[in-house]
Amino acid sequence: MDNEQGKKFQINRRSFLRAGAAATVLGVVGALKAPAKIAKATDGNILYIDPNKVASSSGSNGLQYTPAPKGQWSKLHPVHDLGSAKINYVENNNEWLGTTQIVGKIKNFNEADSGWFLDARGILGDKAQRAFAYLTTRYPLINALNFGSFFVASDDAVYGKPILQKLEIPDPEQMSQHIKDLAYFLRVDDVGIGKMPEYAYYSDHIIDVLGLYSKPVEQCTRPVEKSEYLPYVITFIIDQGMETMLASTGFDSISGSMSYKCYHSNACTSVVLAAYIRNLGYNARACHAMNSYLPFPPALIASGLGELSRTGDSSIHPKWGFRHKASAVLTDLPLAPDKPIDFGLLDFCRVCKKCADNCPAQAISQDADPVEYNGYLRWNSDMRKCAAFRAENEEGNCCGVCMKVCPWNSKEDSWFHQAGTWIGSHGESSAKLLKSIDDMFGYGTEQLLQYKWWLEWPEMNKIPPKLPF
């Protein structure tokens, strides 16, 4: 990637941020929030008790609960922190999912047709297949995170029968606040609740990942039956780590571990939350990167946690950008769904194109406008190129360059970043201004080596010549 642009402007932005004077010139200080503070939590011990035995032996399951004021996001987070962008709320209907326009029938697609599994099936070439087979073993940390994630990846971990006797719970709005506070308690960075679109389920779910390397795909998947559909989806996101991203090239050894760190945390969170809901007497299925019935972007959009971006298959959060990974819980617990959001991302992505300009695989569309794909409008990027490059990358492990360069998540937690996203959410002209400021300060193209904490073994990046099985 070309760094000449960053060299044209020898501006020390950290000195600029310390000065702070330009905030007054921008005229937006009053509209900004103070940088977020990370709350500290203490750990406790857990004793598992069979809830069926408790429910059958107790004389009463009366609820004790102090309700939060109506209209709050949650009891512990009265106002939903979506950063400083201008937020509008939109309705779900048959013609739109958030700001994504639906123009025809959306066909549920097979999980085995998603990028990583095209690698495994050999459809993207022999090298991509070998590379994916060795993906997690080529770096010790990603291998460890993958190892931990699979302890909560079995069908028994993600789903089970609810207790026979439903416990008393608050009304749907209060229960939604409670579920959000539980998710924050479990240390997610954001959570939302949506109506689960039926077209957002996989048509078929993978049941034999290793089989994909040698067997017909039909022997490695099973249909997701409509009887398994549930009306609500609780989605949560976990930040991949700002400092680590700032020190990374975007495609070095730590890149894959940033994703897998979130896969592991999200898997644990979704499994715990789903089990808790079943302990209340309602159906709940955890969905995470290692075992899911759905791709996450449509669920995130339905839950008010993002808009679809230029990358085509990733949603962007107004505060966290797409420097996050998601998981979800499908449930029939009575909840009050949140509304999808519009923070001007379509206008921004239309003029920005930094992800497309910097994509090492040249997989991201340069088109001016979204085009029709499977019944809806999106930027139709080449996900096959993306999946092959992420697997085959021998300069590191996986790739997150698009995430690193995106102006929505490539900056420090500062008033200047908040000013920029506030500007960028006000239409195409403002988006051009944000992009020009982003370019001028070299955001997304730098490495801040004071944050580089990980070890690297470049020789481990090489892809072995044969499959391991």
Side-chain angles (χ1 to χ4, degrees):
M1 289 177 288
D2 187 3
N3 289 322
E4 290 303 314
Q5 186 178 34
K7 296 177 182 178
K8 292 179 182 178
F9 297 93
Q10 299 298 323
I11 297 177
N12 186 327
R13 75 168 181 275
R14 284 165 184 77
S15 297
F16 176 71
L17 297 183
R18 285 194 293 270
T24 304
V25 177
L26 290 172
V28 296
V29 173
L32 305 180
K33 302 184 178 102
K37 304 296 182 184
I38 300 176
K40 294 183 178 180
T42 56
D43 296 324
N45 295 320
I46 299 172
L47 174 65
Y48 179 77
I49 301 173
D50 186 340
N52 276 310
K53 294 180 180 178
V54 174
S56 62
S57 62
S58 60
S60 171
N61 290 318
L63 174 69
Q64 293 186 1
Y65 178 70
T66 304
K70 293 285 186 178
Q72 289 189 176
W73 181 249
S74 75
K75 182 180 282 189
L76 299 182
H77 298 256
V79 178
H80 190 193
D81 183 6
L82 291 172
S84 58
K86 178 185 176 183
I87 305 293
N88 294 310
Y89 293 91
V90 297
E91 300 293 336
N92 264 330
N93 55 52
N94 293 330
E95 297 179 356
W96 296 86
L97 177 63
T99 57
T100 299
Q101 187 175 3
I102 300 171
V103 295
K105 181 177 175 56
I106 299 177
K107 182 181 178 181
N108 302 74
F109 77 94
N110 193 321
E111 184 181 13
D113 290 331
S114 55
W116 283 135
F117 300 119
L118 293 178
D119 284 332
R121 292 164 61 190
I123 290 175
L124 305 186
D126 172 71
K127 184 178 180 181
Q129 186 182 45
R130 286 183 286 111
F132 183 65
Y134 288 101
L135 183 72
T136 61
T137 62
R138 286 157 52 202
Y139 188 62
L141 179 55
I142 192 174
N143 198 14
L145 290 164
N146 187 56
F147 174 76
S149 299
F150 272 97
F151 282 103
V152 285
S154 68
D155 287 344
D156 288 340
V158 300
Y159 185 66
K161 293 182 178 179
I163 65 168
L164 300 177
Q165 180 181 338
K166 286 183 170 65
L167 301 184
E168 183 181 347
I169 60 174
D171 65 66
E173 182 180 354
Q174 294 291 327
M175 196 64 198
S176 297
Q177 293 189 20
H178 169 68
I179 288 294
K180 290 171 184 174
D181 281 329
L182 172 57
Y184 289 126
F185 173 73
L186 295 172
R187 298 186 179 182
V188 305
D189 288 299
D190 206 359
V191 54
I193 298 169
K195 293 181 180 178
M196 180 59 192
E198 289 196 357
Y199 54 75
Y201 285 91
Y202 288 129
S203 63
D204 296 84
H205 169 60
I206 295 172
I207 56 175
D208 182 5
V209 174
L210 288 180
L212 292 173
Y213 288 90
S214 57
K215 299 178 183 177
V217 68
E218 296 79 11
Q219 295 180 19
C220 305
T221 61
R222 71 162 182 83
V224 178
E225 304 292 347
K226 284 204 169 185
S227 60
E228 299 177 274
Y229 288 11
L230 293 167
Y232 302 112
V233 61
I234 306 162
T235 60
F236 7 86
I237 62 173
I238 293 177
D239 180 21
Q240 294 190 46
M242 181 176 67
E243 291 85 358
T244 302
M245 183 201 69
L246 290 172
S248 170
T249 64
F251 56 95
D252 51 12
S253 295
I254 198 63
S255 299
S257 298
M258 291 172 67
S259 295
Y260 273 72
K261 162 239 182 183
C262 295
Y263 293 157
H264 175 261
S265 299
N266 269 315
C268 294
T269 298
S270 60
V271 165
V272 169
L273 196 144
Y276 173 69
I277 293 173
R278 294 195 298 271
N279 289 345
L280 302 179
Y282 296 87
N283 289 294
R285 190 203 193 274
C287 293
H288 57 77
M290 307 300 172
N291 190 332
S292 183
Y293 274 4
L294 68 149
F296 296 109
L300 290 167
I301 295 169
S303 305
L305 295 188
E307 293 184 64
L308 199 59
S309 71
R310 175 173 285 277
T311 58
D313 65 350
S314 296
S315 61
I316 286 182
H317 186 278
K319 179 179 179 180
W320 301 106
F322 60 100
R323 194 187 65 223
H324 66 263
K325 294 296 181 182
S327 60
V329 170
L330 299 163
T331 186
D332 58 5
L333 177 72
L335 296 169
D338 301 307
K339 290 184 177 181
I341 57 175
D342 176 0
F343 58 98
L345 186 67
L346 289 179
D347 285 338
F348 184 85
C349 285
R350 191 173 280 113
V351 302
C352 176
K353 300 183 181 180
K354 287 192 74 168
C355 59
D357 292 340
N358 289 277
C359 176
Q362 297 184 320
I364 301 175
S365 169
Q366 292 275 1
D367 292 345
D369 295 298
V371 297
E372 182 176 353
Y373 172 85
N374 189 28
Y376 63 97
L377 298 185
R378 76 171 200 180
W379 277 284
N380 198 14
S381 297
D382 191 335
M383 294 303 105
R384 292 189 171 205
K385 282 185 178 180
C386 175
F389 179 84
R390 283 186 295 156
E392 294 175 5
N393 174 25
E394 293 185 286
E395 294 185 46
N397 191 286
C398 300
C399 181
V401 171
C402 53
M403 175 189 74
K404 181 176 175 68
V405 303
C406 177
W408 283 98
N409 52 238
S410 61
K411 308 178 182 69
E412 301 88 345
D413 187 6
S414 68
W415 65 265
F416 191 63
H417 175 41
Q418 293 183 22
T421 53
W422 184 87
I423 292 169
S425 63
H426 282 73
E428 289 190 29
S429 297
S430 297
K432 290 178 182 177
L433 176 59
L434 172 57
K435 181 180 183 292
S436 65
I437 294 172
D438 199 77
D439 289 341
M440 181 175 69
F441 280 90
Y443 283 121
T445 60
E446 63 182 359
Q447 277 186 274
L448 302 186
L449 295 181
Q450 66 266 36
Y451 295 137
K452 186 171 181 180
W453 55 266
W454 58 94
L455 306 177
E456 293 186 284
W457 298 269
E459 67 278 4
M460 294 188 69
N461 296 331
K462 302 304 178 184
I463 300 165
K466 295 181 180 180
L467 286 171
F469 35 73

